[in-house]
């Protein structure tokens, strides 16, 4: 069952690095409690777009954003909004996993809670639940006190997923969460995304068309910083309305 | 094609380069080793527990380094207590808060210049600022403040370098989890930069131990008959004690000087060893 309410409403969004404009007036209504997939050729601005949704973009030197992004109707770029608090509601899994090297695996999972003040008494339960959710529990349950960086690249990626879901954000932005993991773990992460999609709003960037088709309710196709098409996933993949979209999903370019 | 002969010229050049590099390592080490062995042989005849635990005396055989050793440790402890927190805080400001602002850039350029100022100039500054203006007199405190100023630029630059080496992706990961800048710096950035900061600061402190010129200006005394007993106490330090002995007419005092040098070098080596141990301890936690 899916609701039709809009969680994030993006309108006329531009984003630049210095004088290099990367996003050109994006309009998009991201539905609540659904999974939205973001596809497009490398360098088209998918990561940049995600970073505009939780105000990470402005942390880059000389990066600028124009336009509005509304979370439940409130403009997140308004002066009254504290980006730090906003990011507790809109979590992010980065394209490149970056576990904290001086922290143990368990502490990495709890990082969001530790950093912002409080770890509750049932920390062990939280760690286990998050790691199971990220399909990593079996591999690390006997070495939770080892450093987070002692894991393989794919394991680190799942550790970062666990870390992001621990803080239970309303919206979860995932930048290629399965790029470095094997098919078995990918299937489990996809399951997780599906499950999370029941209660959370998820935006996931992927280069894998089948994956986008499997996990998402709606799909957006970006090219050269412009939103080419945004539609129901089933519609976009079976009967795209734009020629570029069709060329891209049938592998004619990109 | 892949003819071996074509590469022979390159190989000879590489071997030549290797030998030059090796010589660049070995020659200074040999010179240093000769100096140390020479001093150690001279000093050995005087080096004893008695030498370490005695006060200066007009009779070379009875003179010792106790007040100078205690003075050195006292001054250096103060130097560290003052320079490390201030230096690390300044580096955090420069690297985390003032990034790319013109104020930070100007400060940075000036810090680099300050690191190159001769140490005697810091002595004069200390004399004017701490001894006279602040009314500290020729005290342990004035000496600690002066040496802290002296090593501050080095502490700042070393800490800055350590902070700079923390990948930006970790800061982003922390912000992405809803942490504030301060939470990120305290829990993610500083712990990772710690080994680098420790190494840099301890090395600069062991450099400060050997400083003589600024402390002569600030007013260290060479003939202390008591131990420094407070921040306002007068004091001696090892390099000044050693220097004083080398200026005496009796040749026996030169032996004392050699023994004093061995004590000074030992203190430095201990500090450097501590730096390496600490660094390894914290680095192990990471990989
Ligand atoms: N920090 C930065 N500074 C300057 N330009 C940047 C920066 N990050 C990205 N860009 C530029 O912005 C454009 C979009 O980059 P972005 O990372 O958003 O692409 P992407 O769609 O996520 O690509 P990929 O699929 O390869 O991850 C690229 O042209 C890139 O060169
Ligand atoms: Mg990307």
């Amino acid at each position: 069952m899916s609701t039709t309410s809009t969680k994030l409403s993006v309108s006329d969004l531009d984003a630049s690095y210095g004088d290099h404009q990367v996003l050109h007036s994006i309009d998009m209504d991201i539905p609540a409690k659904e999974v939205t997939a973001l596809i497009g050729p490398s360098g088209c601005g998918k990561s940049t777009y995600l970073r505009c949704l939780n105000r990470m973009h402005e942390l880059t030197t000389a990066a600028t954003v124009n336009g509005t992004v509304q979370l439940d109707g409130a403009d997140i770029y308004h002066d009254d909004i504290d980006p730090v608090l906003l990011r507790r509601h809109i979590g992010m899994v980065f394209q490149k996993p970056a576990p904290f090297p001086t922290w143990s695996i368990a502490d990495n999972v709890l990082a969001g809670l530790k950093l912002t003040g409080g770890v509750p008494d049932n920390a062990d339960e939280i760690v286990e639940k998050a790691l199971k959710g990220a399909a990593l529990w079996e591999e690390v349950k006997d070495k939770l006190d080892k450093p987070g960086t002692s894991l393989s690249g794919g394991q680190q990626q799942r550790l970062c997923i666990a870390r992001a879901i621990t803080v239970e954000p309303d919206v979860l932005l995932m930048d290629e969460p399965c790029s470095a993991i094997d098919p078995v773990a990918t299937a489990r992460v996809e399951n997780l995304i599906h499950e999370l999609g029941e209660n959370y709003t998820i935006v996931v960037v992927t280069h894998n068309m089948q994956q986008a088709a499997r996990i998402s309710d709606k799909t957006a196709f970006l090219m050269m910083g412009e939103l080419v098409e945004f539609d129901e996933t089933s519609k976009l993949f079976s009967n795209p309305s734009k020629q570029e979209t069709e060329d891209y999903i049938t592998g004619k370019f990109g | 094609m892949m003819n071996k002969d074509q590469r022979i010229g390159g190989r000879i050049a590489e071997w030549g380069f290797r030998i030059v590099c090796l010589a660049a390592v070995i020659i200074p080490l040999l010179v240093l080793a000769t100096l140390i062995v020479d001093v150690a042989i001279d000093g050995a005849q005087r080096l004893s527990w008695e030498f370490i635990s005695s006060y200066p005396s007009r009779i070379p055989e009875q003179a010792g380094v106790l007040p100078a050793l205690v003075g050195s440790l006292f001054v250096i402890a103060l130097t560290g207590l003052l320079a490390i927190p201030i230096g690390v805080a300044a580096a955090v400001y420069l690297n985390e808060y003032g990034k790319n602002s013109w104020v930070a850039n100007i400060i940075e350029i000036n810090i680099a210049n300050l690191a190159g100022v001769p140490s005697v100039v810091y002595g004069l500054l200390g004399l004017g600022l701490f001894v006279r203006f602040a009314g500290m007199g020729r005290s342990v405190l004035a000496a600690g403040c002066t040496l802290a100023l002296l090593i501050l630029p080095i502490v700042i630059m070393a800490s800055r370098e350590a902070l700079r080496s923390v990948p930006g992706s970790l800061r982003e990961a922390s912000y992405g989890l809803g942490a504030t800048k301060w939470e990120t710096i305290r829990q993610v950035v500083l712990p990772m930069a710690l080994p680098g900061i420790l190494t840099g600061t301890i090395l600069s402190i062991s450099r400060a131990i050997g400083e003589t010129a600024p402390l002569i200006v600030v007013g260290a005394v060479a003939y202390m008959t008591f131990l420094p007993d407070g921040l306002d106490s007068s004091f001696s330090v090892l390099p000044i004690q050693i220097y004083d002995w080398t200026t005496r007419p009796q040749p026996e005092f030169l032996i004392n000087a050699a023994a004093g040098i061995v004590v000074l070098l030992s203190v430095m080596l201990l500090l450097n060893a501590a730096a390496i141990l600490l660094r390894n301890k914290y680095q192990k936690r990471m990989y």
Side-chain angles (χ1 to χ4, degrees):
Chain A
M1 204 204 78
S2 66
T3 50
T4 48
S5 69
T6 296
K7 188 72 184 177
L8 280 166
S9 173
V10 181
S11 56
D12 202 18
L13 186 81
D14 295 339
S16 311
Y17 295 99
D19 48 14
H20 172 41
Q21 186 170 353
V22 173
L23 295 181
H24 304 269
S25 64
I26 306 258
D27 291 300
M28 191 164 153
D29 281 346
I30 296 169
K33 300 191 179 179
E34 286 193 5
V35 178
T36 302
L38 223 54
I39 58 170
S42 188
C44 71
K46 303 180 295 294
S47 298
T48 306
Y49 180 55
L50 274 196
R51 293 164 59 90
C52 289
L53 298 182
N54 70 342
R55 293 192 60 175
M56 292 292 299
H57 182 63
E58 68 205 49
L59 295 177
T60 309
T61 317
T64 53
V65 185
N66 269 309
T68 56
V69 177
Q70 291 181 326
L71 174 68
D72 294 323
D75 184 5
I76 66 169
Y77 282 96
H78 193 279
D79 287 343
D80 289 348
I81 299 285
D82 177 359
V84 170
L85 294 177
L86 174 81
R87 291 184 203 119
R88 293 183 197 169
H89 292 286
I90 307 185
M92 185 158 201
V93 177
F94 293 86
Q95 186 163 5
K96 251 182 31 206
F100 299 128
T102 48
W103 298 28
S104 69
I105 291 173
D107 284 349
N108 260 288
V109 176
L110 294 169
L113 304 173
K114 283 181 106 79
L115 281 167
T116 57
V119 177
D121 294 336
N122 60 341
D124 294 346
E125 274 170 54
I126 296 177
V127 170
E128 183 171 344
K129 187 161 165 258
L131 285 173
K132 279 183 171 157
L136 187 59
W137 175 250
E138 290 302 322
E139 287 154 75
V140 301
K141 65 180 183 211
D142 297 323
K143 48 176 184 176
L144 291 172
D145 55 343
K146 293 276 181 322
T149 38
S150 67
L151 299 175
S152 77
Q155 289 172 329
Q156 291 186 18
Q157 203 163 32
R158 281 172 283 156
L159 180 62
C160 291
I161 295 174
R163 180 170 74 179
I165 57 181
T166 310
V167 292
E168 305 194 325
D170 281 353
V171 180
L172 188 57
L173 311 171
M174 305 177 99
D175 202 345
E176 296 187 43
C178 301
S179 63
I181 52 192
D182 67 67
V184 178
T186 297
R188 297 185 61 180
V189 170
E190 285 182 9
N191 271 340
L192 171 75
I193 294 175
H194 218 84
E195 271 169 38
L196 290 173
E198 307 270 308
N199 296 308
Y200 301 88
T201 302
I202 297 187
V203 184
V204 52
V205 171
T206 175
H207 276 288
N208 182 328
M209 307 297 153
Q210 285 81 25
Q211 181 172 66
R214 276 196 301 267
I215 61 177
S216 68
D217 302 291
K218 295 186 89 172
T219 299
F221 172 53
L222 259 93
M223 208 169 84
M224 293 174 52
E226 291 185 26
L227 181 62
V228 176
E229 190 166 349
F230 179 43
D231 214 331
E232 299 295 328
T233 300
S234 49
K235 164 92 167 40
L236 188 128
F237 280 104
S238 59
N239 186 19
S241 50
K242 297 268 172 57
Q243 187 61 42
E244 290 106 312
T245 315
E246 180 162 356
D247 290 349
Y248 184 69
I249 60 181
T250 54
K252 282 202 189 123
F253 74 93
Chain B
M1 294 267 290
M2 304 289 269
N3 197 328
K4 256 190 171 176
D5 295 344
Q6 289 177 347
R7 292 195 47 225
I8 281 184
R11 279 201 195 171
I12 291 172
E14 184 174 334
W15 269 104
F17 186 62
R18 262 200 192 194
I19 288 166
V20 170
C21 289
L22 196 65
V25 176
I26 288 180
I27 292 171
L29 277 182
L30 275 180
V31 173
L32 200 65
T34 317
L35 276 173
I36 291 177
V37 169
D38 186 45
V39 165
I41 290 172
D42 284 353
Q45 9 177 343
R46 189 74 83 236
L47 216 50
S48 65
W49 179 245
E50 215 190 320
F51 179 73
I52 293 174
S53 60
S54 300
Y55 290 82
S57 162
R58 246 158 301 154
I59 306 152
E61 289 78 9
Q62 290 176 9
V65 286
L66 184 63
L69 179 60
V70 172
S72 267
L73 295 176
F74 199 169
V75 168
I76 233 54
L78 274 177
T79 305
L81 279 175
L82 291 166
I84 294 174
I86 298 176
V88 173
V92 166
Y93 171 77
L94 288 174
N95 200 60
E96 308 292 328
Y97 289 98
K99 223 175 197 173
N100 299 313
S101 73
W102 60 271
V103 185
N105 285 340
I106 290 179
I107 295 177
E108 220 182 334
I109 292 168
N110 281 304
I111 287 172
N113 287 334
L114 281 178
V117 170
S119 59
V120 68
V121 176
Y122 283 94
L124 291 169
L125 181 64
L127 179 65
L129 192 63
F130 302 123
V131 176
R132 302 229 170 107
F133 180 74
M136 293 176 188
R138 302 176 172 279
S139 63
V140 176
L141 184 60
C145 290
T146 306
L147 288 189
L149 269 190
L150 173 76
I151 65 166
L152 201 51
I154 309 170
V155 173
I156 295 175
M157 288 198 299
S159 309
R160 172 88 210 257
E161 211 43 61
L163 290 169
R164 214 197 305 259
S165 70
V166 177
S169 57
L170 294 178
R171 292 185 181 83
E172 292 212 323
S174 176
Y175 296 141
L177 290 164
T180 61
K181 194 153 195 165
W182 169 236
E183 285 162 347
T184 303
I185 292 171
R186 191 166 54 88
Q187 298 183 68
V188 176
V189 179
L190 279 178
M192 262 205 88
L194 197 61
I197 293 177
L198 281 176
T199 318
T201 50
I202 297 184
L203 288 181
S204 68
I205 282 183
S206 69
R207 180 196 151 188
I209 281 200
E211 281 296 342
T212 320
L215 295 185
I216 292 180
V217 179
V218 169
V221 291
Y223 201 92
M224 284 275 289
T225 49
F226 59 94
L227 295 180
D229 53 2
L231 291 175
D232 57 350
S233 167
S234 54
F235 67 99
S236 182
V237 288
L238 283 169
I240 290 193
Q241 186 69 72
I242 293 163
Y243 174 69
D244 178 67
W245 277 331
T246 60
T247 59
R248 301 291 184 92
Q250 302 95 313
E252 287 84 2
F253 273 115
L254 285 179
I255 299 174
N256 286 25
I261 290 172
V262 174
V263 174
L264 179 60
L265 284 177
S266 311
V267 174
M268 277 186 178
L269 282 180
L270 277 176
L271 263 179
N272 289 356
I276 292 168
L277 283 178
L278 273 174
R279 189 188 56 204
N280 289 351
K281 176 168 180 277
Y282 285 106
Q283 254 171 3
K284 235 181 251 146
R285 282 211 333 229
M286 278 196 223
Y287 294 102

